[in-house]
Amino acid sequence: MNDSDNQAPVLPPAVLPGTPHIAYRGGELHVEGAALAALADAHATPLFVYSKAAMLQALDAYRRGFAGRHATICYAMKANSSLAVLQLFAAAGCGFDIVSGGELERVLAAGGDPAKVIFSGVGKTRAEMRRALDAGIGCFNVESEAELEVLSAVASEAGRTARVSIRVNPDVDPQTHPYISTGLKGNKFGVSHERALATYQRAASLPGLQVVGIDCHIGSQITQEAPYLDAMERVLDLVSEIEAAGIPIDHIDFGGGLGIDYNGDTPPAADALWSRLLARLDARGHGGKHLMIEPGRSLVGNAGVCVTEVLYLKPGEQKNFCIVDAAMNDLPRPAMYQAFHAIVPLQEAKQPAAEAYDVVGPVCESGDWIGRARRLDVAAGDRLAVLSAGAYCMSMSSNYNTRGRAAEVLVDGAQAHLIRRREAAADTFAHEVLLPS
Ligand SMILES: *Cc1c(COP(=O)(O)O)cnc(C)c1O
């Protein structure tokens, strides 16, 4: 991640990153028709608030890109796995890309169709495989030859057939795309280009397996088109090779990874990106295949904010700190990846702010920061919105420092639905057991 935090805007940008559904109206920050100040009054802070319209709008961009195709959009739910969010995408016809047995249970609890579930991840356990087979998932995206052998054994023992795709590692040129990290040689994901054909031949020979597809996923927060084109060419080379060896490939799954606007980032629009990629696919004669993608961040990231209250201002000789009630347990991306989230006041700023603050949380770690050197006109008790917080925030949150997870609200027009109650302290230790006295 290369989101360096040095060029903070003096005023909150007139147009906030990412979505028209989160904007100032009459000087007050709104998510669709709901004023964030009123939601924070009603539900306290820290509070995640999502726009349903923004999620569906992001989905529609992909749908336009794939119009007229046999295509399935499998939401990569690790980006935000809250049940109501899954419910929304399930109702919109999406499948799901899962990476654990726990995620499968969430899909089922949210009413998702198991036949549209694909199971990714390098470390699937036998128990997870068995549960997924019993649930009747659409496809296992197998990441290694060893996994293939185990899946064959588990499926045979269960008297079932596992539909499989093999995740190939397209080894997209690191010289040109240095920040893309899951599709390169030397990382833990997928099977190398060189081993792909042999792995398919092994899959075709094993009992309990049915080869149905091929998949790749080259990285995350990708803001350019070239890596997708490169990966597509590499994958299509393999499809030709595998089919020439007599193994039909029914679907091609191009993974996820499309970036969003955190800080003036300009990723291609999903529809424009896919119309260009599909033109290439057609040119290579594979446009009629069942196509799949696994977008996560780009469906939800810009659709959410985290509202937080300023607890204390702490002026210093070198730095001023703005201590807020959200922390790295709620918003882990800055601590984990030095990632940038825009931070804006709920009341639109009318003039440039005089002071710059490091915005930090209450957790006892120096890594607990949310934004650095942000120009803000703030006082204790004011509330701020951390933007682009719909992806990889709540789903990565923890109870560190015995902080209960935040509440979540999903806004639909003027209606606000509480979709997750705030965790009480007792919830955080409900599964713990005292020693006998
Ligand atoms: C995380 C992940 C995705 C989604 O990535 P985004 O960058 O959120 O779009 C898709 N596929 C796989 C296999 C993943 O691990």
Side-chain angles (χ1 to χ4, degrees):
M1 306 263 156
N2 61 338
D3 353 33
S4 130
D5 201 358
N6 293 326
Q7 291 120 24
V10 171
L11 273 176
V15 178
L16 300 174
T19 172
H21 299 288
I22 300 175
Y24 289 105
R25 279 184 202 136
E28 295 267 340
L29 191 58
H30 281 64
V31 170
E32 300 189 32
L36 285 172
L39 292 179
D41 288 342
H43 301 287
T45 54
L47 178 70
F48 283 90
V49 182
Y50 308 116
S51 159
K52 176 179 173 181
M55 292 183 188
L56 292 180
Q57 187 178 35
L59 177 62
D60 275 345
Y62 281 101
R63 285 210 175 128
R64 283 194 302 276
F66 285 96
R69 306 283 176 157
H70 180 202
T72 308
I73 298 169
C74 292
Y75 168 50
M77 61 178 282
K78 72 180 190 290
N80 186 324
S81 54
S82 298
L83 290 187
V85 172
L86 305 184
Q87 183 186 18
L88 187 158
F89 284 114
C94 290
F96 296 93
D97 175 41
I98 66 169
V99 292
S100 73
E103 287 195 341
L104 174 58
E105 300 307 327
R106 280 187 175 272
V107 170
L108 299 175
D113 178 0
K116 288 194 205 167
V117 166
I118 54 181
F119 194 169
S120 299
V122 295
K124 304 174 191 80
T125 67
R126 287 167 184 266
E128 287 175 322
M129 289 172 177
R130 178 61 199 256
R131 174 70 177 130
L133 284 166
D134 289 346
I137 69 161
C139 188
F140 289 84
N141 285 2
V142 173
E143 302 233 12
S144 66
E145 293 168 67
E147 181 188 336
L148 210 49
E149 308 284 334
V150 171
L151 182 58
S152 167
V154 172
S156 301
E157 203 177 283
R160 296 191 185 274
T161 300
R163 294 162 52 82
V164 299
S165 163
I166 290 167
R167 177 168 175 179
V168 297
N169 191 329
D171 194 25
V172 174
D173 181 7
Q175 298 310 118
T176 52
H177 316 297
Y179 293 111
I180 300 162
S181 58
T182 67
L184 298 176
K185 276 186 184 163
N187 71 52
K188 68 180 178 181
F189 301 103
V191 172
S192 74
H193 203 86
E194 293 71 32
R195 291 294 305 161
L197 179 59
T199 309
Y200 269 94
Q201 284 167 327
R202 181 73 185 139
S205 75
L206 284 169
L209 304 183
Q210 181 193 356
V211 173
V212 293
I214 189 166
D215 64 283
C216 72
H217 171 69
I218 56 175
S220 203
Q221 187 53 19
I222 300 168
T223 55
Q224 278 159 33
E225 188 177 306
Y228 281 106
L229 268 172
D230 289 357
M232 174 179 274
E233 301 290 353
R234 302 274 290 166
V235 169
L236 295 182
D237 291 345
L238 286 175
V239 170
S240 308
E241 222 182 293
I242 295 158
E243 292 198 319
I247 303 169
I249 299 290
D250 301 330
H251 79 243
I252 310 179
D253 171 356
F254 294 101
L258 185 58
I260 63 168
D261 178 13
Y262 284 106
N263 187 24
D265 307 280
T266 53
D271 48 353
L273 173 70
W274 278 100
S275 63
R276 285 190 288 269
L277 288 169
L278 292 174
R280 189 63 202 139
L281 195 69
D282 289 339
R284 292 200 54 178
H286 293 292
K289 283 202 155 63
H290 181 190
L291 307 175
M292 292 166 72
I293 51 165
E294 308 166 349
R297 187 191 312 273
S298 53
L299 290 180
V300 293
N302 282 137
V305 304
C306 180
V307 184
T308 183
E309 184 175 316
V310 177
L311 299 174
Y312 301 102
L313 296 182
K314 193 171 172 186
E317 277 176 26
Q318 298 192 336
K319 274 183 174 185
N320 299 315
F321 290 101
C322 171
I323 302 166
V324 299
D325 66 358
M328 64 186 288
N329 72 297
D330 306 297
L331 295 161
R333 299 184 62 258
M336 275 189 75
Y337 316 114
Q338 310 256 293
F340 181 98
H341 287 276
I343 303 173
V344 300
L346 297 198
Q347 265 77 42
E348 192 168 13
K350 293 287 181 257
Q351 68 233 10
E355 298 286 351
Y357 293 92
D358 276 15
V359 179
V360 302
V363 163
C364 299
E365 297 280 346
S366 296
D368 182 26
W369 60 279
I370 295 167
R372 294 216 157 110
R374 301 305 176 85
R375 296 219 165 250
L376 291 166
D377 200 0
V378 276
D382 287 356
R383 287 169 301 200
L384 302 170
V386 180
L387 303 184
S388 311
Y392 301 108
C393 292
M394 179 53 85
S395 61
M396 292 177 89
S397 68
S398 77
N399 290 128
Y400 188 42
N401 280 209
T402 305
R403 291 168 51 87
R405 280 186 182 73
E408 291 180 301
V409 166
L410 190 127
V411 175
D412 179 7
Q415 271 202 313
H417 304 279
L418 182 68
I419 61 166
R420 182 194 297 262
R421 287 191 300 276
R422 183 175 306 285
E423 277 177 352
D427 295 324
T428 71
F429 52 75
H431 294 269
E432 296 173 44
V433 181
L434 290 169
L435 294 172
S437 50

